Amino acid sequence: MTDFFKGIPEIKYEGPDSTNEFAFRHYNPDEVVMGKPMKEHLRFAIAWWHSFAWEGGDPFGGRTFDRPWYPQDSMELAKLKADVAFEMFSLLGAPYFCWHDADVRPEGATFAESRDNLYEWADYVLPKMEETGIGCLWGTANMFTNRRFMSGASTNPDPDVFAYAAATVKACIDTTKRLGGQNYVLWGGREGYETLLNTDMGREREQYGRFLTMVVEYAKKVGFDGTILIEPKPQEPSKHQYDYDVGTIYGFLKDYGLENEVKLNIEQGHAILAGHSFEHELHLARSLGVLGSIDMNRNDYQSGWDTDQFPNNVPEVALAYYEILKMGGFTTGGTNFDAKLRRQSLDAEDLILGHVGGMDTCAAGLKAAAKMLEDGLLEQALTDRYAGWDSDAAKSMLAGDLESAAARVEAEGLEPEPKSGRQERLENIVNRYV
Amino acid sequence: MTDFFKGIPEIKYEGPDSTNEFAFRHYNPDEVVMGKPMKEHLRFAIAWWHSFAWEGGDPFGGRTFDRPWYPQDSMELAKLKADVAFEMFSLLGAPYFCWHDADVRPEGATFAESRDNLYEWADYVLPKMEETGIGCLWGTANMFTNRRFMSGASTNPDPDVFAYAAATVKACIDTTKRLGGQNYVLWGGREGYETLLNTDMGREREQYGRFLTMVVEYAKKVGFDGTILIEPKPQEPSKHQYDYDVGTIYGFLKDYGLENEVKLNIEQGHAILAGHSFEHELHLARSLGVLGSIDMNRNDYQSGWDTDQFPNNVPEVALAYYEILKMGGFTTGGTNFDAKLRRQSLDAEDLILGHVGGMDTCAAGLKAAAKMLEDGLLEQALTDRYAGWDSDAAKSMLAGDLESAAARVEAEGLEPEPKSGRQERLENIVNRYV
Amino acid sequence: MTDFFKGIPEIKYEGPDSTNEFAFRHYNPDEVVMGKPMKEHLRFAIAWWHSFAWEGGDPFGGRTFDRPWYPQDSMELAKLKADVAFEMFSLLGAPYFCWHDADVRPEGATFAESRDNLYEWADYVLPKMEETGIGCLWGTANMFTNRRFMSGASTNPDPDVFAYAAATVKACIDTTKRLGGQNYVLWGGREGYETLLNTDMGREREQYGRFLTMVVEYAKKVGFDGTILIEPKPQEPSKHQYDYDVGTIYGFLKDYGLENEVKLNIEQGHAILAGHSFEHELHLARSLGVLGSIDMNRNDYQSGWDTDQFPNNVPEVALAYYEILKMGGFTTGGTNFDAKLRRQSLDAEDLILGHVGGMDTCAAGLKAAAKMLEDGLLEQALTDRYAGWDSDAAKSMLAGDLESAAARVEAEGLEPEPKSGRQERLENIVNRYV
Amino acid sequence: MTDFFKGIPEIKYEGPDSTNEFAFRHYNPDEVVMGKPMKEHLRFAIAWWHSFAWEGGDPFGGRTFDRPWYPQDSMELAKLKADVAFEMFSLLGAPYFCWHDADVRPEGATFAESRDNLYEWADYVLPKMEETGIGCLWGTANMFTNRRFMSGASTNPDPDVFAYAAATVKACIDTTKRLGGQNYVLWGGREGYETLLNTDMGREREQYGRFLTMVVEYAKKVGFDGTILIEPKPQEPSKHQYDYDVGTIYGFLKDYGLENEVKLNIEQGHAILAGHSFEHELHLARSLGVLGSIDMNRNDYQSGWDTDQFPNNVPEVALAYYEILKMGGFTTGGTNFDAKLRRQSLDAEDLILGHVGGMDTCAAGLKAAAKMLEDGLLEQALTDRYAGWDSDAAKSMLAGDLESAAARVEAEGLEPEPKSGRQERLENIVNRYV
Ligand SMILES: [Co+2]
Ligand SMILES: [Co+2]
Ligand SMILES: [Co+2]
Ligand SMILES: [Co+2]
Ligand SMILES: [Co+2]
Ligand SMILES: [Co+2]
Ligand SMILES: [Co+2]
Ligand SMILES: [Co+2]
């Protein structure tokens, strides 16, 4: 035991009336919601990067945090960091964690050294995972921080960087598999451009399509049976990122025949940056069959960059889990907190409280979403609204041709009268549950 | 001749030093640029709706314009409007026009009456077209103004509205064909939603996919040999529109196997609303093989809605035509001004000057783009930047698998050193031409 | 009694578990919160314009609603509209209403006729007000819809329009006074510009400053003892509006010595358009002593224009009332719903349900805000955070000069150690109440 | 001479047709424009921070540049950096530079050590300044990078940080004075908040008002005869910054009686983040008498954060210098490039080319603006538009009261007819010059 969280108790469920800051008011892991314990619905994961690797810097300021595992440049301190991480997972009762290679191990002088550091970290955490039962939700490769990736990883104009990216992802998939990771994620922060003047999007897209195909084939070959996920984000750090949003990625996957091989890890903050609500991206991905997992961290609506804050608005979160429940719940996916403390939140306690608040918000949102579904009023309204399309005539019109459809207008003297969309009524109904 | 433009002369080219407000300083229709007269590159079209049908209203105010063809509720005034329109096309030397059914004819009491009004308008303008040589760039159906379409056209929850949309599009395609129109455009202002609470996106997308398929098949059946175009826009009037941007539409087309049947009509203002630059959308569409035509009207960068202003920034416009030229120029497409006067620009003169400025800006942009291409510095920089990918080793890596690519890293001790992207240098080069 | 709301019962409080759509779950008018009945805290007002005058149009579509008082061009129908309005106020138990001249009466052929129509309306509603006890929260002049105001009201380049604006506001203040209105509001939708190329902001600002001064003096002269309020909005319909936000208006008021004469009516939607949260604008106005009243209608966070939706997010609304309560509550101000139905919400029922949802959301927000204050944890955290400034040394430093302050650094060897801002902890605390 | 810029020649003017990348095409320092050499109009300054101190990091990536003066932690390397800086100023013919304390010297272990490092740097550069004739446009204190300032400088909840800020600014003003700096700038990147939950804006504003007052008094006391400038920015790094925009700062200055003591340094990128055009902020500041100096670096219109790019769009820049010329030109102010290379622009050459392009863009913009003014068409249009206000009747109305103004409407039967705002015509005229 390190003494980093000294004095902070294990977080337990105490119910909605608790005023204990170090207790859950909504997250009751074993409480059954729609036939399944909450913990199996939510499948919470803690992100190694924001919680342990990020030092509090922003574009105008440096490190604000003081952590005993700084500077993060030795395996010894990487292990101390891992010790603290597992202590935090345990305190919170979080069943999973997520990681990039760069979060967990120091960069080596060569690729081989970096990779060996990663493997050494895996050696170190595997016994901890077995001991605690805490699993890996997903692993991923950081191909955006190091300057070698500044102009892209797989989409780099330099084929050597493509090779480097391949080697990096291979090592990360191997490690994810070894840790029993349930998914492998690709987020392409540098797969995009700064200026079109030096960019051939067609060429870079082709590089990216080939890369993703190779990744999928490699995962199959080595028997990785988790899900390959892409995480959309429209921009930042790049001026434009190719994985802009759900709709864009879907077209890309279709182009490379990967729409059944790859799913999406959708983050609220990135949805907002792309001009969408979170529930829009989830609903769209669900309807396209590519909804895999979520990063449950919000953006500030007034900031034009990704703020990666812990969720705290239950009505918003409820609409997200409503989409998850309508999909039938997660399979390999889960709820990852790709969320960081504000850089002024310096204390170990803040790290715990940020997650307690986030987990509680999700639990309250999940319960509200379950009530929305179980009551059935919203589903019924939806069914009623589209009921006209269930008639045989409508179905056959949809299967037919333009002229036949058109012909009905005059034949039947159609002058369709609009019907109320009932938006306010439906919003009021939602407010019964949240 | 009406007297609407009384006293306004035909607009002629007078060269860059002219201070005549009623002359072109850059647009010289027959001047050859990269082997083709400017008029054949630019293929200008005037939009019937903004120039003749829109009355100057905005969400907080009513009509500001006074036009002799108001109120727009009779065929007689529709014909006066057509007279003025052709006078304007002639004054400007604009080779094409574009129209919605609702722009050109009064709404009838029934569908049949509306359609017959449209046909009567076509009867009326056909001789004018023959006489003047002015052609139809594209036609389209207004399926967003009338309350019957408030919840969508093809994506409406009411199948009767789908039928009405079919009949409407059929009449518009028939008329476009009759007028020798070179394209048929679909813009789905109401194909989207106001709230997800009453929306099933999967179902609506399927309706839309079927509708578009029917449209394509009908066009083929009746021998319409123009191009079918979709115009992307992310939102407004709808909270979310399904044709969000190029990337999204591409995925939709792929899903319905229409990516070789349908192209895109891309508007600067809509690109901006979707968080993209105009040149981004053009470059992406070009690289996906779906760039068809453009709406050359800008958005105000500080306004969150579509302002549809005439283009006036030559450097921006040059980057757009650079993409058009790199595609090899328009085939059936052209440069449509989906641009409206500011509502305070009340005079007939303003209508002419808005177009003069827009046409001149495009001409200057085209000439700059041609110089950019002909000088070859930008193209050379691009070729050089990706040159590494032309080696056999790189090509075979791209065709190979992840492990082989990865293996090179250690075998060859790769530590890729980043190279400057030269953005500022390239921007300086662009500034030589604009 | 008209039959517009036939079958819709009076809305009564039934408590949080009610599933009656036509009942309040949170708004219990006489329930005492922090020593005052809820109705006296909230002081709800219904807006005549959105509820009765707006016909469902948007920039791409016309009227969607069907109301028995359309077309709105006669005093007879204006009276029917008033009948329905008072029926709605009564059904909802709303104690106040708000109006523009243009909402309540038909435009006349001359100014005098328009004004007389307004007075006739006042004659008509005064007995209804007495009978029902329903009051006027505020009146205002519509100086944005008619084309005469297209280039501004008081800021118009034409002095005759300034005069017309003066006459209009005079008539509206007179009427507000006659109706016992508690405030008079100015919203300058056209007090701004479309392009700087035809605008002299210094000159227009001076016109505006003089106009506002005249308004204040006139109100005093006639003994109007309500509050004069300005409503900030950054843009729409104008590209830029002079009353951009709270900070900007404050500078303007200071410049004309009106900071003690004029207060602000702050709307959530407008705060968002200006890049602020609602609570920011309220907190700032409170700290500057200019917070008067609120328009409690939200914007869609993904839309770049003013959507004027009913509030439905309790956590957001709670933060707004927290500011109101910290100010000591409203005096003449109140909670106006400057909110409109979605244009697809066609039914009379929707009009009621929109307001029921909005009122309930506000009531729940108010109760949460009261708990936040009463528990005192947030206030205590704030006091503690700034406690260092309460020492005599700190106070004297603040009253002193730069050199003395600077001298302490070396004299005392200051190396200030940052303290956690505790944001996540505070957010968790807020979530106990909402 | 270092060899950092080895092989790069001095940049000379070669005229618009030059294809020499290392030459000016527009900036001809001694060419007279409106009676003054261009160099005296433009008063270019290079920013020490972006050009020499920033290492290419962004929120998702570390250092990309390699410079011989890294790591920036010794006075020795600080002097090498200064050597290179002056070489660059000389190569470019830039007459001024700007600096923060943190750019030019290593942070010391104590305040005194940091300050002494700053003074040592001043000792080192003073002879270079004398020798080259290169001056200091302005100095400023970096009170945002170090963690001690994470919760504000003068607005910090800890009075010791206020003292530290006072000592820091004192040292920077002293140094600016010693270097003959013409202005002293305050940019409050941390003078704002992350969350209202831990913030008392009234209190922080008061601290800030007192601080600014102390600064002004100190500058006077020590005989610093430059201008004190505040630089507005709405957000980033803070969620909200108190110096939001010109309008907001004006109110703040009025409140503390500083509107004649303090002017503004306005940056295009910050204007855009606040929802304004650059020319809006300049025009407003000019009309309020508080326009001091400019940071001539643009934002990317599609990015929601400050990209600080070199200007490259001449039409935009022309509108900015139009405002400067209408003010009568800069007095102590100038054109500072608060512009950074893209992080992929690694080479010494890029640093030169970025500035060459920026300077040329400004020169072209200035010349265009001068032509706009000299031709007089725009000014004439403005005069004509407001001509009605020059009559005695209009002036006396403006000086009068509401009733008198209103009385004219009926007395004279006013029904003002709107006049065209001529926006498109004016935009066309602007395009003659740019
Ligand atoms: Co994120
Ligand atoms: Co994420
Ligand atoms: Co548009
Ligand atoms: Co368009
Ligand atoms: Co509003
Ligand atoms: Co309002
Ligand atoms: Co900046
Ligand atoms: Co700046």
Side-chain angles (χ1 to χ4, degrees), chain B residues 138 185-187 229-233 243 265 267 270 295 338:
Chain B
W138 44 265
V185 168
L186 295 112
W187 173 67
L229 298 167
I230 291 184
E231 179 166 337
K233 190 176 182 188
D243 297 326
N265 182 47
E267 174 179 317
H270 301 177
D295 270 10
D338 183 1

Side-chain angles (χ1 to χ4, degrees), chain A residues 115 204 221 403 410, chain B residues 115 204 221 386 403 410:
Chain A
R115 184 202 49 207
E204 297 202 358
K221 180 178 165 193
E403 283 171 289
E410 285 177 76
Chain B
R115 185 203 49 207
E204 296 201 359
K221 181 179 163 195
Y386 292 95
E403 282 172 290
E410 284 178 76

